[in-house]
Amino acid sequence: MTRAEKKRRDDSPVREAQEEIITTHVNADFDALASMIAAKKLYPDARLVFPGSQERNLRNFFLHSTSYLFDFTKIKRVDFDGIRRLILVDTRQRSRIGKFAEILDNEDLEIHIYDHHPDSEEDIHGEVEIIKEVGSTTAILTELIREKGIFLTPDEATIMSLGIHEDTGSFTFSSTRPEDHRAAAWLSEQGANHNLISDMLTRELNAEQVWLLNDLTRSATTLVINGIEVIVSKIISDFYIGDFAVLVHKFMEMENLNAIFALAQMEDKIYLVARSRVEEINAAEIAIAFGGGGHPQAASATIKNKTLAQVEGTLKGLLAKRINPQKKAKDMMSSPVIHISPDRTVKEAATLMTKYNINVLLVLDDRSDLIGYITRQVVEKAVFFHLGDVKVKDYMNIDFSTVRPETPLREVQELIIRNKLRILPVVEGSKVVGVITRTDLLNILVGDSSVPAYLYESRDTSQVFRKKNMATMLKERLPRRVIQLLKEFGNVADMLGYGAYLVGGLVRDVFLKRENLDVDIVIEGDGINFAHEFARHHEVKVRSHKKFGTAVIIFPDGFKVDVATARMEYYESPAAIPIVETSSLKMDLMRRDFTINTLAVRLNKREYGTLVDYFGGQKDIKEKVIRVLHNLSFVEDPTRVLRAIRFEQRFGFRIGKLTQALIRNAVSINSFEELSGRRLFLELKLLLMEEDPKRAIERMNEFDLLQFIAPEIRFTNTLSNLLDDIRGVISWYKLLYLEEAFEPWKVYWHGLTSALDPKASKGLADRLQMSDIESRKLISQRLLMKNLLDKLYKLDSEKTYQIYTLLSQHDTELLLYMMAKTGSEKVKRQISNYFTRMKGVKIRLGGKDLKRLGFKPGRLYKEIFHSLLEARLDGLVNTKRDEEKFVRERFGKHLES
């Protein structure tokens, strides 16, 4: 086939349906090309397609080499409707993949991403995302190929090595990482041709490029912005001249520049190449503003439909805003520091805050060393709860960060934003010399479009500090039915103009990879109206509670979804039932117990899957820490103390240092005094329902919490051993695989309260308001246990029927507790035999059989059945025929003639 024939075939209107496509960014460079070829090794059935134009030097290389080695498909031959999987390499920006951006929202499209560029606001998210901060995307893919043991030809290794060399400046750029070196070394072992790589990277400049380099140097102007020098240079050419980025890099090396932004008007486009060696200038931020991309050290953009003068003006404006001054903590801090001693009262702290109009007070000890801080929110709430005379040290925050006077602005900014700090003390030696507040930082950054939304106090939930799209994670970890429901909830919310969010434990457990199908939805709007609107379009029932703005959607199979109007709560007194008012999502999440339970996921179609994390819940899940949202959390609701312990043990987390201090404070001021007994019992019941409650009970003892259940309860060696025995007995019983359900928490309840005498047991039941039938039975059976154990001990083990009669009157849970509690092996054996040999025994004859045999219905039937059961338990009868014979012999005189 001639080259002309090949071109006619490639330009043919006939299109091929492609299932898998590998592509990259427009104006592809060698790293992009190498990444595509590397991805082809991982996805052998995929087609290679460029989204648009390539760099001119890449086109020449492509024409002379790769088009004959690899099967590239022209974009005009791609059937976009047939694409099932899109593999993106060396980019994840929607604006940089050309026509492929049009199919990103297809629901059946699977997206795989391999990239090394920094995050941006227009990042695409996929089912597979491998993003690493290395010097080249080719290095990422090379590592995967090496791990999988995939064979490379020398030609493939050469192209991949060339991609690494280009994007790392042959390992001279500051973005180069050890992974790039390791990948290049391995490619060398696979036969990479270093002579070819050298020729491509060090080719001589032609006459046109020399003139262009000369124009770059002559047009260069120096700008000093916030104390930072930056070079801006521009050239004009009527035709395209290749390797503009190489020329800019040569200019930078020749003049030893820290930062350069070069503009080239060629044909009908303007090309921007940016290079930076200093932290204060992020080249990628500037390029992204022009629709391009890259790294903080190296970036580029192609600009259409603008004049060179327009682009230059915009560039200088961006530089003025984006280059941060080299400020230090000492330039930003406020001094002298207003502070309070730890032994002063909360009321005195409130007076100081009002006097100086501040929201945070540092707490310094008598040596002027920093030991904590207290916020206005905590102070006001404490005063509201009539705790104004409590000492500041009882409610101060003891977790804090500090900086030195010479700490640079970037580090200060990162600390305040990452840790969501209200105040950052500046410390020299051991003494506090100043403070930097969130407002101080905002005043410095004001006017900068990169100021994080977190720094603004707002109830607008559209701007969230921590953003992450969880659509893929939800799809992987939740059943298809639940995913479909979540999307339908989002559609109904869109119809009503509401905001809809998945909240609570389900979001937390998605991160923890734990099974949980308790779906809780919060609506910014009218939750009850939302539930009824959903019911209009689905076969479901709705139960609503107008006072709290909540509803339950009940599906035909019994599956339930809880819906709540976004609301806030406040407590009129410690441990009281909260008063509920309509509010925003942020205020709704603020009323929750711990940061790990404050995560929400947006369900509205446009932002489906977006994670909302106002309080650092994702970070605490990662660090496995239980933290409260504010320092009076346990005063408001003391049951949260038991919940903290329960979650700590269930997830293998640890209670944070400050949260532990707040628990001890709640104990010391007896916050449980006003707590409803019923609420305490229900929370205790949930704790005992955990897989192994012993550690939680031990933790309660460490915090001196057992006294609030009953003063007689002590975590002694006896109780510890009993709880171990209970766990062993429960495990044994579960292995019997009996059909009868039981509730292990009741066995642990008996164990926990084992030290209580009958009078104390009744008193505890009254105080915990255990008035329902189930609870009363739990107490009453327990009171009979001692008598029951005595009878069992005296019984002959051969008296099977008597043992059965004695034990069958009692619940399984009590019998398992007795089995764990008793020291008698004989009694243990009797209870064990009851479960394994007696409990499931049934007689074969029924009332119809007795009537057939000639017995007249009446009280006699009951006597016959008891005798039959006793005979079967004692092994006197085995079959139905044996039973008939037994009945005739024992009760024959009652047969009708």
Side-chain angles (χ1 to χ4, degrees):
M1 181 183 294
T2 67
R3 183 170 296 183
E5 289 172 333
K6 183 177 185 297
K7 176 170 175 47
R8 282 197 299 273
R9 188 197 71 177
D10 287 346
D11 292 341
S12 164
V14 177
R15 298 180 184 271
E16 301 171 0
Q18 313 296 338
E19 284 197 336
E20 291 184 317
I21 296 292
I22 298 172
T23 192
T24 185
H25 54 80
V26 294
N27 296 323
D29 54 15
F30 279 121
D31 188 33
L33 169 67
S35 298
M36 291 177 70
I37 290 170
K40 175 74 172 175
K41 304 298 291 185
L42 298 173
Y43 300 86
D45 296 329
R47 298 297 185 100
L48 300 168
V49 182
F50 282 111
S53 60
Q54 300 89 48
E55 290 280 6
R56 186 65 56 93
N57 62 328
L58 178 56
R59 293 182 204 168
N60 295 336
F61 179 80
F62 181 78
L63 288 173
H64 290 103
S65 305
T66 55
S67 61
Y68 296 98
L69 292 171
F70 306 98
D71 185 18
F72 280 78
T73 301
K74 288 193 173 183
I75 194 168
K76 64 178 70 176
R77 294 178 58 81
V78 175
D79 177 12
F80 281 77
D81 294 332
I83 298 176
R84 176 180 59 82
R85 177 184 290 164
L86 184 65
I87 300 113
L88 297 176
V89 296
D90 203 37
T91 187
R92 49 192 160 125
Q93 288 181 245
R94 181 182 288 263
S95 63
R96 302 197 74 202
I97 60 172
K99 193 176 178 181
F100 288 107
E102 298 173 5
I103 65 170
L104 291 177
D105 295 324
N106 291 356
E107 288 193 2
D108 56 348
L109 179 67
E110 185 177 332
I111 302 174
H112 293 197
I113 300 171
Y114 301 85
D115 192 21
H116 73 129
H117 291 91
D119 296 343
S120 73
E121 291 184 358
E122 61 164 334
D123 280 351
I124 302 162
H125 295 281
E127 280 72 15
V128 173
E129 293 186 17
I130 299 183
I131 317 295
K132 294 184 178 180
E133 290 186 9
V134 295
S136 62
T137 300
T138 307
I140 298 172
L141 291 158
T142 300
E143 179 65 14
L144 295 173
I145 290 170
R146 187 183 66 80
E147 289 175 354
K148 292 179 180 293
I150 298 174
F151 172 78
L152 290 181
T153 66
D155 289 326
E156 292 167 338
T158 300
I159 295 170
M160 290 166 64
S161 186
L162 180 59
I164 295 174
H165 273 274
E166 184 193 62
D167 242 31
T168 62
S170 290
F171 313 104
T172 62
F173 292 168
S174 61
S175 58
T176 306
R177 297 290 183 271
E179 291 90 337
D180 299 292
H181 291 280
R182 286 195 291 267
W186 185 76
L187 291 171
S188 181
E189 293 173 357
Q190 309 312 304
N193 186 333
H194 289 282
N195 290 328
L196 177 58
I197 294 169
S198 178
D199 289 343
M200 289 300 301
L201 295 174
T202 61
R203 51 194 177 280
E204 295 181 357
L205 302 182
N206 58 34
E208 293 167 334
Q209 291 171 332
V210 171
W211 281 109
L212 202 63
L213 181 58
N214 182 57
D215 288 344
L216 274 175
T217 58
R218 292 178 61 185
S219 67
T221 57
T222 302
L223 303 177
V224 180
I225 302 173
N226 292 328
I228 310 295
E229 277 193 3
V230 58
I231 304 299
V232 176
S233 187
K234 56 185 185 293
I235 58 101
I236 299 175
S237 175
D238 293 333
F239 49 89
Y240 186 91
I241 299 176
D243 291 332
F244 180 55
V246 174
L247 298 178
V248 174
H249 187 71
K250 282 185 178 294
F251 179 32
M252 191 177 191
E253 295 295 327
M254 286 165 47
E255 300 295 331
N256 194 27
L257 305 176
N258 281 331
I260 180 171
F261 290 81
L263 299 170
Q265 181 176 312
M266 300 183 194
E267 298 175 342
D268 60 345
K269 298 176 184 174
I270 296 173
Y271 298 87
L272 166 68
V273 172
R275 296 290 185 268
S276 171
R277 290 172 173 165
V278 293
E279 286 188 356
E280 289 74 22
I281 303 176
N282 188 323
E285 282 188 358
I286 305 299
I288 288 171
F290 285 106
H295 307 277
Q297 298 82 17
S300 63
T302 302
I303 306 149
K304 300 178 181 178
N305 303 321
K306 285 194 175 184
T307 67
L308 186 60
Q310 287 176 316
V311 174
E312 183 181 9
T314 303
L315 173 63
K316 289 180 178 179
L318 284 168
L319 291 173
K321 288 184 176 181
R322 299 293 175 98
I323 297 179
N324 290 323
Q326 291 179 311
K327 285 185 177 292
K328 297 179 180 178
K330 64 183 179 181
D331 303 318
M332 299 176 275
M333 70 183 191
S334 302
S335 183
V337 177
I338 300 167
H339 63 277
I340 192 168
S341 68
D343 292 319
R344 301 279 288 277
T345 66
V346 169
K347 194 182 297 181
E348 289 174 300
T351 302
L352 272 177
M353 287 177 170
T354 303
K355 180 179 179 181
Y356 293 105
N357 192 28
I358 56 176
N359 294 317
V360 184
L361 265 177
L362 294 188
V363 184
L364 307 184
D365 63 16
D366 53 6
R367 295 174 299 180
S368 297
D369 290 341
L370 177 65
I371 59 173
Y373 68 91
I374 191 165
T375 65
R376 181 183 290 275
Q377 181 187 27
V378 169
V379 166
E380 289 179 347
K381 193 163 285 191
V383 171
F384 179 76
F385 286 145
H386 307 293
L387 299 173
D389 293 328
V390 173
K391 292 181 179 180
V392 166
K393 64 183 179 184
D394 291 331
Y395 287 123
M396 69 181 183
N397 283 286
I398 55 177
D399 292 325
F400 53 84
S401 302
T402 62
V403 293
R404 295 172 293 100
E406 298 300 318
T407 302
L409 168 64
R410 184 176 296 276
E411 190 175 328
V412 170
Q413 180 178 339
E414 183 181 348
L415 269 173
I416 289 179
I417 294 172
R418 186 185 68 229
N419 298 331
K420 306 184 78 170
L421 303 178
R422 291 177 175 270
I423 193 168
L424 183 60
V426 183
V427 177
E428 192 165 25
S430 63
K431 304 304 177 189
V432 181
V433 295
V435 293
I436 301 170
T437 66
R438 199 160 53 180
T439 305
D440 293 331
L441 179 60
L442 180 59
N443 288 337
I444 290 169
L445 299 178
V446 72
D448 183 349
S449 58
S450 68
V451 175
Y454 161 71
L455 291 174
Y456 294 96
E457 289 288 355
S458 171
R459 290 175 65 171
D460 177 11
T461 58
S462 63
Q463 296 295 324
V464 181
F465 172 52
R466 301 176 185 271
K467 278 201 171 182
K468 172 188 177 78
N469 192 285
M470 291 183 61
T472 302
M473 193 183 295
L474 293 174
K475 186 177 179 181
E476 289 174 353
R477 298 175 188 174
L478 294 179
R480 179 175 295 181
R481 176 193 180 185
V482 174
I483 294 295
Q484 186 58 39
L485 271 180
L486 297 181
K487 291 182 177 180
E488 288 177 19
F489 290 148
N491 292 335
V492 173
D494 286 336
M495 284 192 302
L496 296 172
Y498 295 163
Y501 301 86
L502 176 67
V503 300
L506 178 55
V507 183
R508 175 201 67 214
D509 288 347
V510 165
F511 278 102
L512 293 174
K513 298 181 181 179
R514 295 176 65 94
E515 186 175 339
N516 185 347
L517 294 180
D518 293 334
V519 180
D520 292 307
I521 306 297
V522 164
I523 300 296
E524 282 189 315
D526 187 332
I528 295 175
N529 184 42
F530 169 88
H532 285 293
E533 181 64 26
F534 182 85
R536 287 183 56 225
H537 305 280
H538 301 80
E539 292 184 10
V540 296
K541 295 179 180 178
V542 174
R543 285 204 316 258
S544 60
H545 198 309
K546 196 169 183 179
K547 178 181 178 182
F548 293 102
T550 60
V552 180
I553 299 174
I554 306 170
F555 291 79
D557 62 354
F559 184 73
K560 296 178 181 179
V561 173
D562 291 317
V563 178
T565 304
R567 61 198 194 271
M568 70 177 192
E569 298 174 346
Y570 65 89
Y571 295 75
E572 290 188 331
S573 63
I577 297 294
I579 308 299
V580 177
E581 293 181 359
T582 302
S583 183
S584 65
L585 174 73
K586 185 174 183 180
M587 298 300 289
D588 184 277
L589 297 174
M590 190 180 289
R591 70 185 176 82
R592 295 173 188 265
D593 47 15
F594 310 110
T595 56
I596 62 171
N597 293 329
T598 61
L599 299 173
V601 177
R602 183 95 181 198
L603 301 181
N604 298 77
K605 186 173 182 180
R606 187 172 179 180
E607 296 181 85
Y608 176 80
T610 299
L611 176 68
V612 181
D613 182 8
Y614 289 111
F615 307 104
Q618 189 181 356
K619 176 175 176 284
D620 285 345
I621 287 175
K622 184 178 180 181
E623 295 179 358
K624 298 186 175 183
V625 180
I626 305 291
R627 300 185 204 274
V628 288
L629 273 71
H630 59 84
N631 291 13
L632 287 164
S633 181
F634 297 132
V635 174
E636 287 183 343
D637 185 359
T639 63
R640 289 173 178 167
V641 172
L642 299 185
R643 223 170 302 152
I645 292 171
R646 175 157 56 92
F647 289 150
E648 180 188 46
Q649 301 311 311
R650 179 193 297 177
F651 303 133
F653 283 17
R654 59 182 173 82
I655 298 175
K657 185 179 177 183
L658 173 61
T659 304
Q660 288 191 48
L662 295 173
I663 291 175
R664 291 190 171 93
N665 173 260
V667 172
S668 68
I669 66 172
N670 197 8
S671 294
F672 292 82
E673 185 177 15
E674 301 297 326
L675 181 64
S676 151
R678 186 64 180 169
R679 291 183 64 205
L680 177 59
F681 170 67
L682 293 176
E683 197 62 50
L684 184 60
K685 177 180 173 181
L686 290 172
L687 185 145
L688 296 176
M689 289 172 70
E690 293 294 313
E691 186 67 28
D692 181 15
K694 178 191 170 181
R695 178 63 188 133
I697 295 170
E698 189 174 0
R699 198 77 161 114
M700 288 178 65
N701 181 64
E702 291 172 11
F703 287 116
D704 199 18
L705 292 166
L706 296 176
Q707 61 171 309
F708 299 113
I709 303 172
E712 297 88 348
I713 298 177
R714 296 279 188 273
F715 194 82
T716 60
N717 289 336
T718 301
L719 178 57
S720 177
N721 293 335
L722 176 58
L723 293 173
D724 286 336
D725 290 339
I726 288 173
R727 187 181 186 191
V729 166
I730 288 174
S731 298
W732 168 81
Y733 184 78
K734 286 179 177 178
L735 289 174
L736 297 180
Y737 295 104
L738 301 178
E739 293 183 2
E740 181 185 1
F742 80 112
E743 297 180 272
W745 76 266
K746 293 181 179 179
V747 190
Y748 282 109
W749 169 265
H750 289 310
L752 180 62
T753 59
S754 58
L756 275 61
D757 59 29
K759 183 178 179 181
S761 294
K762 287 181 179 179
L764 177 62
D766 292 339
R767 194 167 61 79
L768 297 186
Q769 299 170 15
M770 299 170 65
S771 55
D772 57 280
I773 295 174
E774 181 185 42
S775 297
R776 288 203 303 268
K777 188 176 181 183
L778 188 68
I779 299 300
S780 63
Q781 286 204 356
R782 167 66 184 285
L783 297 177
L784 299 173
M785 190 191 76
K786 187 177 184 304
N787 185 43
L788 183 59
L789 282 171
D790 289 341
K791 289 182 178 179
L792 274 176
Y793 187 74
K794 294 174 182 176
L795 266 180
D796 185 343
S797 294
E798 301 299 320
K799 301 290 185 178
T800 306
Y801 182 67
Q802 291 183 37
I803 293 172
Y804 175 87
T805 304
L806 192 61
L807 298 183
S808 61
Q809 304 173 48
H810 300 283
D811 290 342
T812 296
E813 293 82 5
L814 180 68
L815 300 183
L816 291 176
Y817 168 64
M818 288 167 52
M819 198 172 174
K821 175 72 173 172
T822 183
S824 168
E825 290 299 321
K826 173 185 175 182
V827 172
K828 287 184 189 225
R829 249 190 333 270
Q830 288 171 330
I831 299 174
S832 172
N833 287 336
Y834 168 73
F835 283 124
T836 56
R837 299 179 183 178
M838 305 179 203
K839 194 170 183 182
V841 171
K842 294 180 181 178
I843 59 176
R844 304 289 182 86
L845 294 183
K848 290 182 179 178
D849 295 309
L850 295 182
K851 191 172 184 180
R852 175 176 54 79
L853 291 173
F855 292 98
K856 185 178 181 180
R859 293 181 180 177
L860 179 64
Y861 277 26
K862 185 176 181 180
E863 185 181 346
I864 292 174
F865 291 149
H866 278 301
S867 296
L868 273 176
L869 181 58
E870 182 176 0
R872 183 170 280 278
L873 287 169
D874 289 338
L876 300 178
V877 296
N878 294 305
T879 65
K880 188 173 181 179
R881 181 171 296 179
D882 290 342
E883 290 183 358
E884 290 180 355
K885 182 180 178 182
F886 176 84
V887 170
R888 285 195 181 98
E889 291 176 354
R890 178 72 65 87
F891 298 96
K893 61 182 179 180
H894 298 286
L895 285 172
E896 294 178 333
S897 56

